[in-house]
């Protein structure tokens, strides 16, 4: 038996290919055969946090739990620690406990240095410590305490996200508000902080004007007339919309805001 020179050269040149073979010459039968089977190189793991199995739940339990690799650079001085779905959910509790202190400084410190808050009861995005604190200066007067009703947790390389539906009870008034939420967390200064927080009232809970009947329109006059009977110009002026216009009977001056409408009825009610 001897090894073909041509086969040896092919094996050397194709050493990184999936198949390596030698031709073995059989002097008696002139038969050639493969001496080595194909070899497949397994790809290296891209992340120690590979995609986890999905789970579903409701009433405060997580569903859709998973981990994804975003190939985020590890150039930061503090590398993010692995975090479990239970630990992600516990980050909400830290934030909620900060609300309970009624100290807007403590709440604002739960947010990352570069973060954005799209709050429930403000049209203004908050993008730094001062503006986030300013929002909670007012919001905390309602004494809010929240609980997650259902949520979806995702975990990636250096980030985590919790999104779903939560509910707040306002201790100052007893009001209960249900809203949609998203928290995106990043690892900063050796702890997980909020980089993105979006909260919005459930759209199906927003009041939309219902059709009004002819009888109800007539009754609106009676409400206005009853306000006249009080002889209180403030009560009458409050029957007008914020952008309402009054073209009064005994004045040539149009009244276009609360103060001017009240001023008119200060004199008119004396009659």
């Amino acid at each position: 038996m001897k090894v073909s020179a041509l086969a040896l050269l092919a094996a050397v040149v194709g050493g990184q290919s999936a198949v390596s073979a030698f031709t073995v010459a059989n002097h008696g039968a002139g038969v050639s055969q493969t001496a080595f089977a194909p070899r497949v190189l397994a790809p290296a793991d891209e992340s120690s946090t590979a995609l986890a199995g999905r789970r579903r739940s409701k009433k405060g339990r997580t569903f859709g739990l998973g981990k994804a690799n975003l190939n985020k650079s590890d150039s930061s001085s503090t590398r993010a620690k692995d975090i479990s779905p239970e630990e992600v959910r516990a980050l909400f509790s830290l934030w909620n406990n900060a609300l309970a202190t009624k100290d807007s400084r403590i709440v604002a410190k739960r947010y990352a240095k570069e973060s954005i808050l799209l709050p429930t009861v403000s049209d203004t995005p908050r993008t730094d410590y001062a503006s986030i604190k300013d929002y909670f200066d007012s919001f905390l007067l309602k004494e809010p305490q929240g609980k997650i009703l259902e949520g979806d947790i995702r975990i990636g390389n250096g980030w985590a996200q919790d999104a779903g539906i939560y509910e707040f009870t306002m201790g100052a008034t007893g009001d209960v508000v249900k809203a949609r939420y998203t928290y995106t967390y990043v690892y900063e200064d050796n702890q997980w902080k909020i980089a993105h927080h979006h909260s919005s009232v459930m759209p199906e809970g927003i009041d939309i004007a219902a059709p009004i009947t002819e009888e109800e329109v007539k009754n609106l006059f009676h409400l206005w007339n009853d306000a006249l009977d009080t002889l209180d110009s403030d009560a009458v002026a409050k029957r007008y919309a914020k952008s309402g216009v009054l073209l009064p009977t005994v004045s040539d001056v149009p009244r276009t805001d609360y103060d001017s409408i009240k001023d008119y009825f200060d004199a008119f009610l004396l009659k």
Side-chain angles (χ1 to χ4, degrees):
M1 178 192 304
K2 63 180 178 179
V3 177
S4 167
L6 181 59
L8 178 60
L9 178 60
V12 171
V13 174
Q16 295 180 348
S17 66
V19 180
S20 296
F22 289 112
T23 301
V24 180
N26 187 315
H27 291 288
V31 178
S32 63
Q33 60 185 9
T34 301
F36 293 93
R39 182 166 58 94
V40 179
L41 299 178
D45 287 340
E46 294 181 356
S47 170
S48 61
T49 55
L51 184 65
R54 296 180 61 82
R55 300 200 300 269
R56 290 262 177 196
S57 72
K58 293 185 178 180
K59 297 292 182 182
R61 295 177 295 167
T62 60
F63 60 87
L65 307 182
K67 295 186 178 182
N69 180 14
L70 295 186
N71 295 322
K72 183 176 180 181
S73 172
D74 290 331
S75 60
S76 60
S77 58
T78 303
R79 183 172 179 175
K81 296 181 179 179
D82 288 340
I83 187 170
S84 69
E86 293 74 19
E87 290 170 327
V88 174
R89 181 53 51 80
L91 294 174
F92 171 80
S93 297
L94 289 177
W95 179 82
N96 198 42
N97 290 341
L99 295 184
T101 67
K102 301 180 184 179
D103 188 335
S104 59
R105 296 171 299 178
I106 295 176
V107 180
K109 287 180 179 178
R110 293 303 313 156
Y111 292 79
K113 295 172 184 175
E114 295 183 2
S115 59
I116 182 168
L117 164 65
L118 301 174
T120 312
V121 292
S122 173
D123 294 335
T124 306
R126 312 302 172 110
T127 58
D128 56 27
Y129 173 85
S131 61
I132 292 173
K133 178 183 178 299
D134 175 72
Y135 172 74
F136 286 107
D137 284 342
S138 299
F139 187 63
L140 291 179
L141 296 177
K142 303 177 185 291
E143 300 179 7
Q145 274 295 281
K147 64 178 180 179
I148 290 178
L149 302 181
E150 57 184 86
D152 180 281
I153 291 176
R154 308 291 175 90
I155 300 173
N157 187 1
W159 62 271
Q161 179 180 280
D162 190 352
I165 298 171
Y166 55 14
E167 184 178 82
F168 283 94
T169 299
M170 307 301 176
T173 62
D175 292 339
V176 177
V177 179
K178 186 183 292 186
R180 298 175 295 179
Y181 75 87
T182 299
Y183 293 94
T184 301
Y185 301 99
V186 296
Y187 199 70
E188 179 180 282
D189 297 333
N190 294 312
Q191 58 181 313
W192 290 93
K193 291 192 173 184
I194 303 166
H196 174 93
H197 179 193
H198 171 227
S199 181
S200 59
V201 176
M202 302 290 286
E204 294 179 5
I206 298 175
D207 291 332
I208 299 175
I212 189 170
T213 66
E214 183 176 337
E215 187 66 25
E216 289 172 329
V217 173
K218 291 179 180 179
N219 287 335
L220 293 176
F221 169 79
H222 295 304
L223 290 175
W224 177 83
N225 199 42
D226 290 344
L228 293 183
D229 285 341
T230 67
L231 302 179
D232 184 348
S233 59
D234 175 70
V236 180
K238 286 180 177 177
R239 294 301 311 158
Y240 291 78
K242 294 177 182 178
S243 57
V245 176
L246 166 64
L247 302 176
T249 310
V250 293
S251 172
D252 296 333
V253 181
R255 311 302 172 111
T256 59
D257 56 27
Y258 170 84
D259 290 333
S260 61
I261 293 172
K262 181 179 182 300
D263 175 73
Y264 172 75
F265 285 108
D266 284 341
F268 185 73
L269 290 178
L270 296 177
K271 304 176 183 298

